[in-house]
Amino acid sequence: MATPAECRAALDQLSRNLGKAEGDVRTAASLDRSLTCWITDLDLTFSGRLRDGSITEVTEAPGRPAERAQIRLSMSGDDLVALVDGKLNFASAWATGRVKLEAGIRDLLQLRKLL
């Protein structure tokens, strides 16, 4: 099972990856939205802001997200690490329910470019 530190490192790496993105991916990553990622097996939530191609203002708190973010992810810590490492395909993980993504329809249309 991934540790909280490994999950935080994966989110930091995801932020760096988004910052290097180009084209449509860069456009999608440039949204300015609140973001939560609930790590189900650790019952830990990372909250932050997707802004200007990176994830900023990241905090962590025990339990489910206290507030409803504009973009909401939930998954196990191992799946988060595997997604960021490129060992797990987001689309197949989402289709099988391993990863859950909730957002408004406009955001989902933009975010699909990241997938």
Side-chain angles (χ1 to χ4, degrees), residues 43-79:
D43 196 24
L44 178 68
T45 296
F46 291 94
S47 301
R49 188 129 200 114
L50 179 61
R51 178 184 293 141
D52 297 326
S54 64
I55 302 169
T56 61
E57 306 167 25
V58 177
T59 60
E60 62 183 84
R64 290 178 173 259
E67 296 182 20
R68 184 179 164 104
Q70 292 165 304
I71 299 171
R72 300 166 303 281
L73 292 161
S74 62
M75 67 193 80
S76 73
D78 288 341
D79 285 343

Side-chain angles (χ1 to χ4, degrees), residues 27-48:
T27 301
S30 294
L31 293 171
D32 184 3
R33 300 288 187 269
S34 59
L35 171 74
T36 57
C37 182
W38 178 45
I39 307 301
T40 55
D41 56 336
L42 298 175
D43 196 24
L44 178 68
T45 296
F46 291 94
S47 301

Side-chain angles (χ1 to χ4, degrees), residues 37-41 73-83 87-101:
C37 182
W38 178 45
I39 307 301
T40 55
D41 56 336
L73 292 161
S74 62
M75 67 193 80
S76 73
D78 288 341
D79 285 343
L80 172 62
V81 171
L83 282 169
K87 296 176 182 172
L88 178 63
N89 178 278
F90 183 89
S92 63
W94 177 70
T96 60
R98 287 176 66 178
V99 173
K100 292 185 173 70
L101 169 65

